Amino acid sequence: MASTPHPTRRKKTVVGAAALAAGAAVLGVFATAQAADATPTARHTAHAARTPYVINHYGEENADKGHAERSPKNLVLSEFTSIGGVHWKQWGTKKAVGTGKVTGSWCLDTCLDKPLKATVTLSDPKNVHGRQVFSSFTLKLAGKPGTYDVEDLHGKRPLATS
């Protein structure tokens, strides 16, 4: 005599299959979420690889050869001008913008003891020895336009790249 499936067994099988399908759906959502989370990391890594450095000659150990850095706290802009205590508002693939305190050989009588507030913009990245580095800077003093007549304050200036 052929046996007919028991109704309780059929319900358990259907419920079990539904639970299995729901579990697979949750795992699919989890795997998709994991892949989505991985994408920004990959993008961040690729972005970091393209984000330029600045060649910094700050400090005795870097005075001769310079050191490639991103977002340095102190930065030598030229043989005449440095900026310290820099707070970088932006450090991107095309430019970097920060504010800090400037000193220079052109203002030693006034700015040695009281550095001048300024905004620095690094720009014009170029490839040097296989590495992207910013090659220009623009420096704007806060509240003192025209006070000092020095080349480093007159538009875009070259930045050391080695």
Side-chain angles (χ1 to χ4, degrees), residues 34-135:
Q34 290 285 31
D37 285 345
T39 302
T41 302
R43 275 191 220 131
H44 177 72
T45 302
H47 177 76
R50 291 187 319 267
T51 304
Y53 292 88
V54 62
I55 303 301
N56 195 0
H57 291 266
Y58 184 82
E60 286 184 40
E61 67 279 6
N62 299 318
D64 293 331
K65 292 186 176 187
H67 177 69
E69 294 184 68
R70 290 186 178 120
S71 306
K73 183 124 180 111
N74 300 298
L75 177 62
V76 174
L77 296 170
S78 74
E79 62 184 293
F80 306 110
T81 307
S82 294
I83 187 166
V86 184
H87 171 72
W88 296 99
K89 297 176 182 178
Q90 175 185 352
W91 194 281
T93 58
K94 301 284 184 200
K95 70 178 182 176
V97 180
T99 56
K101 306 270 182 138
V102 172
T103 60
S105 59
W106 43 269
C107 68
L108 287 179
D109 57 335
T110 58
C111 71
L112 185 60
D113 293 328
K114 189 175 178 186
L116 307 168
K117 292 180 183 177
T119 298
V120 63
T121 302
L122 309 180
S123 60
D124 303 326
K126 68 179 194 175
N127 192 317
V128 177
H129 305 296
R131 177 182 286 173
Q132 287 289 106
V133 296
F134 288 115
S135 65

Side-chain angles (χ1 to χ4, degrees), residues 9-34:
R9 228 184 250 155
R10 184 177 294 155
K11 283 182 187 174
K12 286 181 182 176
T13 303
V14 170
V15 170
L20 184 62
V26 168
L27 286 175
V29 169
F30 179 74
T32 302
Q34 290 285 31

